[in-house]
Amino acid sequence: MLRRSLSRLCAGEEKRVGTRTVVVGHRPVLETDAYVAQKFCDNRIVSSKYTLWNFLPKNLFEQFRRIANFYFLIIFLVQVIVDTPTSPVTSGLPLFFVITVTAIKQGYEDWLRHRADNEVNKSNVFIVENAKQVQKESEKIKVGDIVEVKADETFPCDLIFLASSSIDGTCYVTTASLDGESNFKTHYAVRDTTVLCTDEAIDALTATIECEQPQPDLYKFVGRIIIYRSNQEPIARSLGPENLLLKGATLKNTKKIYGVAVYTGMETKMALNYQGKSQKRSAVEKSINAFLIVYLCILLSKATVCTTLKYVWQSNPFNDEPWYNEKTKKERETFKVLRMFTDFLSFMVLFNFIIPVSMYVTVEMQKFLGSFFISWDKEMYDEEIKEGALVNTSDLNEELGQVEYVFTDKTGTLTENSMEFIECCIDGHKYKDCISEVDGFSQTDGPLKYGKAEKSREELFLRALCLCHTVQIKEADQVDGLIGHPERKYTYISSSPDEIALVKGAEKYGFTFLGLENDFMKIRNQTNETEMYQLLHVLNFDPVRRRMSVIVRTTTGKLLLFCKGADSSIFPRVQQEEIQQTKVHVDRNAMDGYRTLCVAFKELTQKEYDKIDRQLNEAKMALQDREEKMAKVFEDTEADMHLIGATAVEDRLQEQSAETIEALHAAGMKVWVLTGDKMETAKSTCYACRLFQTSTELLELTAKTVGESERKEDRLHELLMEYHKKLIQDIPKNRGGLKRSWTLCQEYGLIIDGSTLSLILNPSQDSSSSNYKNIFLQICLKCTAVLCCRMAPLQKAQIVRMVKNTKGSPITLSIGDGANDVSMILEAHVGIGIKGKEGRQASRNSDYAVPKFKHLRKLLLAHGHLYYVRIAHLVQYFFYKNLCFILPQFLYQFFCGFSQQPLYDAAYLTMYNICFTSLPILAYSLLEQHINIDTLTSDPQLYMKVSDNAMLQWKPFLYWTFLGAFEGLVFFFGVYFLFQNSSLEDNGKVFGNWTFGTIVFTVLVFTVTLKLALDTRFWTWMNHFVIWGSLAFYVFFSFFWGGVIWPFLKQQRMYFVFAHMLTSVSTWLAIILLIFISLFPEILLIVLKNIKEKNHQVTKHLPSSGTSTIFMLSQTSSNHSFSWSE
């Protein structure tokens, strides 16, 4: 009993063996049980981080892992334990505020997760028990239960599909919530259980399922079902992903299905995919940490100086123990080193406000609230998909303003991914226009071939297009016989837009695919007759093979294999003499930027088919290495084929993708295109979207230039050395010191393909090629644009990692729209997904998602630029205002015998960062636009001004630090000189030390707030409200705090101090004068800058002298003539 309850608590912790055995419906197999029943986790989904019991300890632990929070905790404890000059409240309250705000935010987010979990866990499901339907909560489902799901319901766990309301045992499913693909996918019931479509029939089933242990890949599943029947041999059938219905997917167009639960709760594929992405950190955070260390050093040095000078001062007995303040016996007897240590700690506490604890919470709020501006941006809203931009990670907003390298996918990112059938070629004849019965549909193609192919070859080709695919038909109306009408009353659905384009292309030429029924594919041919083909096997497409095949049987009993795929994977598998005539067309189409596929076939004898059938079934039944075994059978089957022809499909460029790439180039970013497409197709797309200009000199490292011989590594070495010499050794060093100066000289572009890349990244052991990678990298970094074609998804990530880890760690951005781009999106500093037609996996795994590639321009040039400027200003301002705050406190120690006497009242110490100066900078960091958004978008070169973390370098940091030090000195000594006249009141009374501190504090609050007002370029009502409101609140609070006798205070040292202080005219004059002196250098700088900008604009608009104009013209024209002759 105890063990069972323990195993239920530790859901999913059971020992993972290679496979698991599931008993369908918990009906024991008739033979004696030979296996031990395995324990599985329940069907609860837990996506939350905290529970009611562990929220406090866990959340506090996570927050105190932050260095600033931990530091303030230590200071607070020191204040509690040691007799320090300031109250523990001064550091405890700001820390408590920061911790509470963060805990509330995280607690609320987790509460939302709990609520979502409960909705799923408490939803009702129907389970078949004892031939009856029983309603249960979803979390009560156990592995082995038979579950009934009705139309438009989501699957409560991962089920093996046993039977459905449709006779052929199929059902349609959408997996939008899993991978974002909204198209319908067809799933198939186990062949021998399709007839069991009532509660009684399904309950009578005796079977076991053996399958692999849970793993996160949505598209992989390996298992087998063994069905037991009385007095008969058990039947074994293989199970694959087509038999598995995933939790989170929705049943469509099918009344009901029965399935058996195989994975539940946290072991479902959906839950295993719910992994938090690796935490990406922005460059700004690294700068903050560096600045913190500097300020920590300042703090330590201040405390050390004061402690040392205190003991120097006390070496004089009169200073050490004046007659009015004699030491107690205990004080005399304490150990001197211990006394020095406690003094050091006391000074640390006194000056600790130089470290801004509230900066972290302000930065968090700025990032969180700032990210809404991206989602609210109307220009990034797409009418077609009715969606706007989406922010998945608000931690990286400012990183968008620092990007140096952009890696983009081609299909669906630069192009529309809406395919249109353009033309095809059959046996070397080009066919472009629609077919007519008289003359076929051939067209002459220059010097290539006249006439047309034989009629039988044309028909064979079109049948291949109609049969070799996984397209499904979705009828517009559930009425039989509509398909027969000439106008189409149905739509094609498929996971790939290419396939639909090819089926529609065949329809244009008279062959129409009518759908799949009971394993028979129906086609209507040119003479309006319906042909039937029995579908025996589908050899599915995969990115490694880059092709797919079907095996069909005609009504006359002929066995045919049709195969379509990329030319690189088809050409080696057909008769060599057939290639040349088709290759000419394929190359020409690729040059025009079309996507090409080759089509081949072969006839099988019964004997050959039986062998293939046996091997395929054996491979399908394997539980271990099923993929490898299947791949081997596919390899053997798809050999010695005959080439029939090729197709060309156009994928149009997305609107404004060329303008976007030009803008990114102008902003100093390097754009790399990483695609799985053919080199020629990709190259023409790159010219079309202006990645390569007509003047760009292209360097190629492809299978064509390297060659296929044994010497390819030597040839690669030669090419690398040649390009290296051309780009690095022969180009004179840039003296101008201009950032990203490659935009000035001759532009180079590099083209590399997957096979050459693997030679460079994974060289063979014996070759002397360990430095290939470095040479290749140097060449890449010198090129304006790089095109990598024929890339596997993992190679895309390798390239991003290679650039990311180069010297200087440039900020990288990856943008893509398909599942094959996820690896590079996760690898780059900033990952952007496009909400495209290839599903939503990319946008789910990205940091930001946008509807179209063109939106990248505004996201980087406007939003990124502004976010960076705002947060950089926020960070510098926080350090500056805290230095202004603490420097007078440090200087005060020289005038009070280093007695650790605080200059400011405890209330002021506590409220300075929380109330008096926090809101103006938060409003600034959310709303500031130092340059208009339209100007930023239209002038990309402005982006370069803030590149390379320009505003958080040591130079601006030192400027802000000196400014803070200057103002701190003005505040303190200005008030000090005011106090040289001892009686500041008419009646000759003298102001005390609390008045001194309050005057300094008043000047401080007004100066740092007005400094921010001077920096603000974009005023809104909110800026006015928080800036003037903060100052008014300070004045109101000071009157209120000093105007009431507070019962909880031991000493009323601030009683009427503020009100009394303002009765003196000298004080008013001093406050105004000191604010002006503090801000004078800043005002002077602004005036000079404005004069300089005005002069610059005037000279820009003046017409230059005649000679220089003529010279400019001649230069321009000569440049043009040079580029054209190139």
Side-chain angles (χ1 to χ4, degrees):
M1 182 69 198
L2 178 69
R3 189 196 288 168
R4 195 180 313 143
S5 56
L6 272 173
S7 72
R8 200 170 73 243
L9 283 169
C10 314
E13 287 298 315
E14 90 267 357
K15 212 160 94 213
R16 294 238 164 136
V17 283
T19 60
R20 58 165 56 181
T21 306
V22 177
V23 181
V24 177
H26 310 291
R27 290 171 63 89
V29 181
L30 300 176
E31 295 110 60
T32 53
D33 288 344
Y35 73 97
V36 180
Q38 295 176 29
K39 294 188 182 74
F40 305 109
C41 71
D42 59 18
N43 198 34
R44 264 181 320 164
I45 283 287
V46 183
S47 64
S48 52
K49 200 171 176 182
Y50 308 109
T51 63
L52 210 53
W53 313 115
N54 73 8
F55 175 71
L56 261 179
K58 200 171 175 180
N59 187 271
L60 288 176
F61 173 71
E62 280 174 2
Q63 290 208 56
F64 284 120
R65 275 161 62 181
R66 277 205 130 142
I67 195 154
N69 290 351
F70 185 67
Y71 162 77
F72 266 83
L73 180 68
I74 297 294
I75 291 287
F76 173 68
L77 293 175
V78 167
Q79 279 178 302
V80 171
I81 298 160
V82 180
D83 178 24
T84 54
T86 55
S87 151
V89 175
T90 54
S91 61
L93 201 65
L95 179 67
F96 176 74
F97 172 73
V98 169
I99 296 289
T100 311
V101 167
T102 315
I104 289 169
K105 176 178 164 265
Q106 291 178 348
Y108 174 68
E109 285 172 355
D110 204 61
W111 175 75
L112 291 178
R113 286 190 213 111
H114 270 283
R115 202 173 65 172
D117 289 348
N118 276 339
E119 265 178 40
V120 174
N121 293 336
K122 301 292 180 199
S123 60
N124 289 327
V125 291
F126 289 100
I127 290 168
V128 179
E129 281 179 10
N130 304 326
K132 282 200 285 294
Q133 280 189 22
V134 181
Q135 191 172 348
K136 284 189 179 181
E137 286 177 348
S138 173
E139 61 184 8
K140 303 252 167 64
I141 295 176
K142 294 196 285 289
V143 171
D145 282 347
I146 294 174
V147 183
E148 181 187 306
V149 181
K150 296 187 174 70
D152 297 319
E153 290 181 355
T154 50
F155 301 116
C157 56
D158 289 355
L159 304 167
I160 291 294
F161 180 18
L162 296 175
S164 83
S165 54
S166 59
I167 313 149
D168 56 356
T170 58
C171 73
Y172 295 100
V173 166
T174 61
T175 54
S177 60
L178 293 169
D179 58 11
E181 294 186 19
S182 52
N183 46 6
F184 288 27
K185 295 188 175 72
T186 313
H187 285 259
Y188 302 92
V190 180
R191 203 185 313 170
D192 304 79
T193 60
T194 46
V195 290
L196 312 172
C197 41
T198 63
D199 295 345
E200 294 78 17
I202 201 84
D203 195 53
L205 173 69
T206 306
T208 57
I209 291 170
E210 285 173 31
C211 59
E212 60 187 358
Q213 286 292 5
Q215 51 109 337
D217 193 326
L218 296 176
Y219 309 104
K220 272 194 190 148
F221 175 71
V222 177
R224 59 169 171 246
I225 184 167
I226 300 158
I227 299 162
Y228 299 91
R229 292 177 177 167
S230 49
N231 310 325
Q232 285 181 22
E233 278 291 302
I235 306 168
R237 294 273 180 246
S238 69
L239 299 172
E242 69 280 359
N243 309 113
L244 184 70
L245 304 170
L246 299 177
K247 178 185 177 73
T250 309
L251 183 66
K252 293 282 182 190
N253 282 21
T254 315
K255 282 186 189 137
K256 66 170 185 181
I257 65 106
Y258 292 106
V260 57
V262 282
Y263 304 130
T264 49
M266 297 308 286
E267 292 185 337
T268 56
K269 288 186 181 285
M270 181 185 175
L272 293 175
N273 271 283
Y274 180 80
Q275 244 114 38
K277 296 196 288 293
S278 64
Q279 205 55 49
K280 295 182 181 179
R281 296 232 111 14
S282 74
V284 169
E285 286 195 34
K286 291 166 194 161
S287 300
I288 292 178
N289 291 340
F291 298 163
L292 264 179
I293 290 167
V294 172
Y295 269 71
L296 206 58
C297 293
I298 294 175
L299 171 66
L300 290 168
S301 55
K302 277 184 178 178
T304 313
V305 166
C306 284
T307 311
T308 313
L309 291 177
K310 177 176 182 170
Y311 283 91
V312 170
W313 160 262
Q314 286 182 354
S315 59
N316 178 342
F318 175 72
N319 290 341
D320 185 27
E321 204 172 346
W323 58 269
Y324 56 83
N325 190 13
E326 289 189 359
K327 288 184 180 176
T328 60
K329 187 166 183 260
K330 188 184 172 191
E331 280 177 332
R332 283 202 185 92
E333 286 169 1
T334 44
F335 197 43
K336 195 168 183 182
V337 176
L338 187 68
R339 243 192 9 245
M340 287 176 88
F341 181 64
T342 52
D343 277 333
F344 177 76
L345 286 181
S346 297
F347 280 120
M348 284 282 283
V349 167
L350 196 60
F351 304 143
N352 87 73
F353 288 92
I354 199 167
I355 306 290
V357 65
S358 56
M359 179 174 71
Y360 279 100
V361 83
T362 315
V363 166
E364 286 279 325
M365 286 165 77
Q366 191 266 354
K367 288 180 172 186
F368 175 67
L369 297 170
S371 61
F372 286 109
F373 291 113
I374 293 178
S375 358
W376 290 337
D377 193 329
K378 287 199 173 76
E379 286 178 32
M380 290 197 198
Y381 184 81
D382 189 53
E383 284 300 332
E384 201 182 318
I385 59 169
K386 297 275 181 283
E387 280 182 63
L390 178 72
V391 180
N392 296 327
T393 315
S394 59
D395 287 349
L396 301 169
N397 294 343
E398 65 277 8
E399 210 80 322
L400 293 169
Q402 296 297 300
V403 176
E404 286 178 56
Y405 285 87
V406 175
F407 299 93
T408 167
D409 174 41
K410 183 182 80 74
T411 311
T413 305
L414 295 175
T415 61
E416 288 278 6
N417 201 13
S418 61
M419 309 296 176
E420 193 187 332
F421 186 90
I422 298 296
E423 61 179 63
C424 59
C425 92
I426 303 171
D427 288 345
H429 300 274
K430 179 172 161 186
Y431 292 77
K432 194 152 190 174
D433 304 309
C434 288
I435 188 164
S436 70
E437 274 304 294
V438 191
D439 60 351
F441 58 120
S442 174
Q443 192 187 29
T444 59
D445 194 5
L448 298 170
K449 249 190 181 184
Y450 291 93
K452 60 190 181 70
E454 296 165 22
K455 186 89 173 117
S456 61
R457 297 289 283 181
E458 283 179 6
E459 290 183 354
L460 181 68
F461 178 80
L462 293 170
R463 285 192 181 101
L465 291 191
C466 275
L467 296 169
C468 187
H469 56 72
T470 54
V471 174
Q472 299 290 333
I473 277 186
K474 182 190 171 194
E475 292 176 32
D477 249 299
Q478 298 294 317
V479 183
D480 290 336
L482 273 179
I483 287 180
H485 286 273
E487 68 275 7
R488 262 203 5 239
K489 286 280 173 37
Y490 49 82
T491 48
Y492 292 129
I493 45 179
S494 168
S495 51
S496 155
D498 289 84
E499 293 206 316
I500 296 177
L502 294 180
V503 172
K504 285 184 178 170
E507 186 179 2
K508 205 161 75 169
Y509 297 133
F511 273 77
T512 311
F513 172 60
L514 301 178
L516 178 72
E517 211 175 283
N518 299 335
D519 286 343
F520 279 90
M521 294 178 95
K522 292 197 290 190
I523 293 177
R524 189 171 62 240
N525 64 18
Q526 289 161 343
T527 56
N528 246 355
E529 296 164 353
T530 303
E531 299 177 4
M532 305 277 275
Y533 293 87
Q534 186 185 359
L535 179 63
L536 301 168
H537 284 289
V538 177
L539 281 55
N540 280 320
F541 175 86
D542 65 67
V544 182
R545 271 169 54 240
R546 301 181 65 82
R547 59 184 184 277
M548 63 102 36
S549 304
V550 293
I551 301 176
V552 295
R553 181 184 269 124
T554 64
T555 40
T556 56
K558 256 167 63 175
L559 290 159
L560 296 171
L561 173 127
F562 290 111
C563 178
K564 71 166 192 274
D567 55 297
S568 58
S569 72
I570 296 281
F571 285 166
R573 289 172 178 76
V574 297
Q575 314 302 318
Q576 292 310 298
E577 62 275 7
E578 301 170 343
I579 294 175
Q580 196 47 44
Q581 52 187 20
T582 305
K583 193 174 188 303
V584 180
H585 285 271
V586 171
D587 291 347
R588 180 169 292 194
N589 286 334
M591 293 291 281
D592 293 338
Y594 299 141
R595 290 164 69 89
T596 55
L597 284 176
C598 294
V599 181
F601 90 109
K602 82 169 176 186
E603 211 170 311
L604 301 170
T605 62
Q606 187 62 44
K607 193 177 170 188
E608 284 171 330
Y609 170 70
D610 291 341
K611 185 186 170 194
I612 292 166
D613 186 48
R614 191 184 70 251
Q615 288 175 334
L616 277 173
N617 286 334
E618 276 172 16
K620 277 182 187 168
M621 293 302 285
L623 288 182
Q624 249 71 41
D625 307 328
R626 184 185 288 188
E627 250 81 63
E628 290 80 355
K629 288 174 182 166
M630 298 280 272
K632 188 171 184 331
V633 182
F634 290 173
E635 191 71 29
D636 299 343
T637 308
E638 295 164 331
D640 304 323
M641 299 184 288
H642 296 281
L643 191 61
I644 325 172
T647 61
V649 171
E650 184 183 24
D651 186 6
R652 283 191 304 278
L653 269 189
Q654 274 193 25
E655 56 169 335
Q656 291 182 25
S657 56
E659 289 84 343
T660 305
I661 284 186
E662 275 191 327
L664 297 181
H665 266 166
M669 286 175 250
K670 295 189 180 183
V671 183
W672 293 29
V673 174
L674 314 180
T675 175
D677 233 335
K678 281 173 62 77
M679 184 185 101
E680 289 78 9
T681 313
K683 193 165 149 186
S684 66
T685 307
C686 288
Y687 273 114
C689 64
R690 298 181 216 156
L691 182 74
F692 296 151
Q693 307 290 340
T694 41
S695 59
T696 309
E697 189 179 327
L698 293 183
L699 314 172
E700 284 189 24
L701 285 173
T702 58
K704 198 162 75 182
T705 52
V706 174
E708 291 295 331
S709 62
E710 278 74 65
R711 281 191 62 255
K712 61 182 170 190
E713 293 218 346
D714 304 336
R715 175 78 186 117
L716 176 64
H717 185 71
E718 283 167 28
L719 278 171
L720 283 171
M721 295 321 290
E722 181 192 323
Y723 295 159
H724 187 266
K725 185 171 183 296
K726 183 184 282 188
L727 275 125
I728 287 119
Q729 293 160 6
D730 295 356
I731 289 180
K733 286 274 182 289
N734 163 46
R735 286 193 188 83
L738 189 82
K739 274 194 284 187
R740 306 184 183 191
S741 58
W742 47 266
T743 44
L744 300 178
C745 50
Q746 162 67 40
E747 293 192 358
Y748 287 96
L750 178 75
I751 301 177
I752 182 165
D753 61 8
S755 55
T756 317
L757 185 73
S758 52
L759 267 182
I760 291 170
L761 297 181
N762 321 309
S764 58
Q765 295 304 311
D766 56 327
S767 64
S768 58
S769 51
S770 52
N771 62 341
Y772 276 1
K773 195 170 166 181
N774 291 337
I775 300 172
F776 170 65
L777 195 57
Q778 286 174 15
I779 294 169
C780 283
L781 300 183
K782 284 285 178 209
C783 290
T784 341
V786 179
L787 163 63
C788 307
C789 38
R790 291 277 190 243
M791 287 280 129
L794 218 60
Q795 284 182 311
K796 291 184 177 185
Q798 274 180 315
I799 286 209
V800 176
R801 190 179 311 127
M802 181 178 78
V803 174
K804 195 168 108 174
N805 296 336
T806 53
K807 193 176 165 217
S809 307
I811 303 294
T812 56
L813 175 145
S814 291
I815 178 165
D817 71 320
N820 57 340
D821 304 315
V822 169
S823 50
M824 74 166 179
I825 284 173
L826 291 176
E827 186 60 53
H829 291 97
V830 183
I832 296 188
I834 283 186
K835 301 175 173 183
K837 296 191 170 127
E838 286 188 23
R840 289 292 164 87
Q841 271 168 296
S843 60
R844 266 181 44 245
N845 285 286
S846 63
D847 304 305
Y848 301 88
V850 291
K852 291 262 162 64
F853 182 75
K854 65 175 180 182
H855 297 134
L856 188 63
R857 178 176 184 159
K858 188 173 184 190
L859 186 68
L860 297 185
L861 302 187
H863 288 293
H865 185 120
L866 289 175
Y867 281 130
Y868 175 74
V869 170
R870 289 165 183 167
I871 203 155
H873 200 286
L874 182 148
V875 170
Q876 301 279 28
Y877 178 79
F878 253 99
F879 284 112
Y880 147 82
K881 76 183 176 78
N882 280 35
L883 183 61
C884 292
F885 179 41
I886 285 304
L887 190 65
Q889 174 73 72
F890 171 67
L891 296 170
Y892 186 56
Q893 295 308 305
F894 289 83
F895 296 87
C896 69
F898 305 99
S899 60
Q900 297 143 16
Q901 168 66 29
L903 176 62
Y904 311 116
D905 180 58
Y908 287 160
L909 279 173
T910 310
M911 305 279 277
Y912 178 70
N913 274 325
I914 299 179
C915 301
F916 301 147
T917 59
S918 60
L919 282 177
I921 184 63
L922 180 63
Y924 175 94
S925 66
L926 287 171
L927 304 168
E928 175 60 10
Q929 294 177 25
H930 61 299
I931 300 173
N932 185 298
I933 283 193
D934 296 333
T935 314
L936 285 173
T937 318
S938 56
D939 183 1
Q941 290 191 331
L942 292 168
Y943 190 85
M944 281 202 262
K945 287 191 176 175
V946 297
S947 62
D948 301 326
N949 204 6
M951 291 178 69
L952 287 173
Q953 297 295 352
W954 290 109
K955 202 171 157 188
F957 174 70
L958 288 172
Y959 166 74
W960 280 91
T961 306
F962 282 125
L963 188 67
F966 165 74
E967 289 180 9
L969 288 164
V970 170
F971 302 156
F972 183 81
F973 287 109
V975 181
Y976 178 73
F977 287 125
L978 171 72
F979 269 65
Q980 293 306 301
N981 173 10
S982 54
S983 63
L984 286 171
E985 294 183 70
D986 302 340
N987 58 9
K989 281 186 182 172
V990 181
F991 276 169
N993 65 325
W994 293 115
T995 314
F996 181 83
T998 308
I999 298 175
V1000 173
F1001 192 78
T1002 308
V1003 178
L1004 162 77
V1005 171
F1006 273 79
T1007 305
V1008 295
T1009 309
L1010 292 172
K1011 157 85 174 102
L1012 196 63
L1014 280 177
D1015 287 340
T1016 305
R1017 297 276 171 282
F1018 185 75
W1019 284 89
T1020 63
W1021 66 266
M1022 211 177 282
N1023 295 81
H1024 283 293
F1025 177 73
V1026 293
I1027 285 178
W1028 313 123
S1030 290
L1031 295 176
F1033 174 72
Y1034 165 66
V1035 174
F1036 170 77
F1037 175 82
S1038 298
F1039 275 118
F1040 183 66
W1041 181 241
V1044 178
I1045 292 183
W1046 299 100
F1048 55 82
L1049 290 179
K1050 286 191 195 127
Q1051 66 273 39
Q1052 301 285 336
R1053 54 192 180 196
M1054 290 302 287
Y1055 186 64
F1056 255 82
V1057 165
F1058 191 76
H1060 203 97
M1061 172 188 100
L1062 294 182
T1063 57
S1064 162
V1065 180
S1066 325
T1067 309
W1068 278 89
L1069 194 65
I1071 289 173
I1072 294 165
L1073 191 66
L1074 289 176
I1075 292 171
F1076 177 72
I1077 293 171
S1078 303
L1079 293 174
F1080 183 70
E1082 196 70 10
I1083 296 167
L1084 200 66
L1085 268 176
I1086 291 171
V1087 171
L1088 288 172
K1089 206 183 272 180
N1090 285 349
I1091 292 169
K1092 195 176 162 189
E1093 273 176 17
K1094 278 203 176 105
N1095 289 345
H1096 182 68
Q1097 281 169 352
V1098 169
T1099 50
K1100 211 158 74 173
H1101 292 307
L1102 279 175
S1104 50
S1105 63
T1107 42
S1108 60
T1109 314
I1110 292 164
F1111 170 68
M1112 283 300 292
L1113 281 172
S1114 69
Q1115 250 202 339
T1116 318
S1117 59
S1118 71
N1119 263 350
H1120 270 289
S1121 60
F1122 171 70
S1123 65
W1124 288 123
S1125 65
E1126 274 276 302

